Amino acid sequence: MSRDPHREARDLLGAYALDLLDDAERASATAHLDGCDECRRELDFIAPAASALALADPERVTAQPAPPPDLGDRVLSTIRAERPARRNGTRMLVAACAAALLVGVGAGVAGGYAAFAPDPEPQEHVAATVHDDRVDAEALLVPHTWGVEIRLTGEGFGAGETYRATLFDESGGAHPAGEFIGVGENPMVCNLNSSLLREDAAGFEITDESGDPVVTSSF
Ligand SMILES: [Zn+2]
């Protein structure tokens, strides 16, 4: 094990909060948490989102307020270095969204964890129209200085299918905002980033592998 204990514990915090660690991992994380204020603070910060994810009832996802988007973001970024060995549904969900995160983000996040600072900018709920009976979805926009981010909360995106997000400017020009892999009935929160500024963005669509729209929004 060449990694330092702090980094190791940080990578496990999301799974720790979701109670997905095996005994050895949990013991190791607990031992580190006992002696590390920074990791304890981080755990306090992500725990509410983790419990919201764990308790999410698929039937009620669209009727309930989404977990605070920044918290979900932190959970996902914390977990994204997780070992992918286990075929646990929640881990797969996290892995799928983490993959989407990595595909969707620009250079700003390439540096790693520290780039996920709490976002001071306002989030904007936008109306989303769903075109697939299996899917429930809600969307928030986050107007970053480098471009607008779509925070997509939803369920029913076909497991294993690749979905593509595209933003449109006011002239109808298409701007890619990343891809993600559907996780079926599991609730998911995906962060889809583009280089289009909020002031220039007029709508988005999420398309399936056939290019058919699954979720669309105009704003
Ligand atoms: Zn630590």
Side-chain angles (χ1 to χ4, degrees):
M1 193 84 56
S2 59
R3 307 181 59 200
D4 72 80
H6 177 67
R7 178 79 193 277
E8 186 89 8
R10 288 286 278 241
D11 288 347
L12 292 175
L13 281 179
Y16 185 95
L18 288 164
D19 198 21
L20 296 173
L21 296 180
D22 64 29
D23 290 346
E25 289 171 326
R26 172 160 286 271
S28 155
T30 302
H32 179 78
L33 283 163
D34 282 347
C36 182
D37 285 346
E38 189 183 341
C39 283
R40 276 201 305 277
R41 281 197 302 274
E42 184 68 15
L43 182 63
D44 286 346
F45 190 65
I46 66 177
S51 49
L53 275 175
L55 297 174
D57 175 349
E59 297 301 314
R60 301 174 64 189
V61 165
T62 55
Q64 294 286 318
D70 278 326
L71 297 185
D73 205 351
R74 298 295 291 263
V75 171
L76 295 176
S77 60
T78 300
I79 299 172
R80 69 195 158 101
E82 271 290 291
R83 293 179 295 282
R86 261 173 275 185
R87 288 292 173 263
N88 175 293
T90 306
R91 285 201 177 196
M92 290 183 71
L93 152 70
V94 165
C97 278
L101 199 61
L102 293 173
V103 169
V105 298
V109 180
Y113 191 84
F116 287 87
D119 200 319
E121 291 154 308
Q123 293 150 13
E124 179 186 350
H125 282 275
V126 290
T129 304
V130 178
H131 305 272
D132 182 331
D133 291 344
R134 299 176 302 171
V135 172
D136 279 320
E138 291 189 340
L140 282 171
L141 299 183
V142 186
H144 297 289
T145 52
W146 64 83
V148 67
E149 172 188 341
I150 304 165
R151 294 213 175 137
L152 183 70
T153 304
E155 63 175 30
F157 291 92
E161 291 180 39
T162 300
Y163 292 86
R164 176 167 297 156
T166 305
L167 275 152
F168 296 99
D169 61 33
E170 284 153 0
S171 329
H175 300 260
E179 297 179 330
F180 63 93
I181 298 168
V183 292
E185 293 307 306
N186 292 311
M188 64 174 201
V189 183
C190 282
N191 305 62
L192 300 157
N193 282 268
S194 82
S195 59
L196 185 65
L197 293 173
R198 172 62 189 94
E199 67 215 53
D200 299 322
F204 73 80
E205 71 176 12
I206 310 289
T207 52
D208 62 18
E209 290 176 357
S210 311
D212 294 327
V214 177
V215 182
T216 54
S217 181
S218 298
F219 35 82

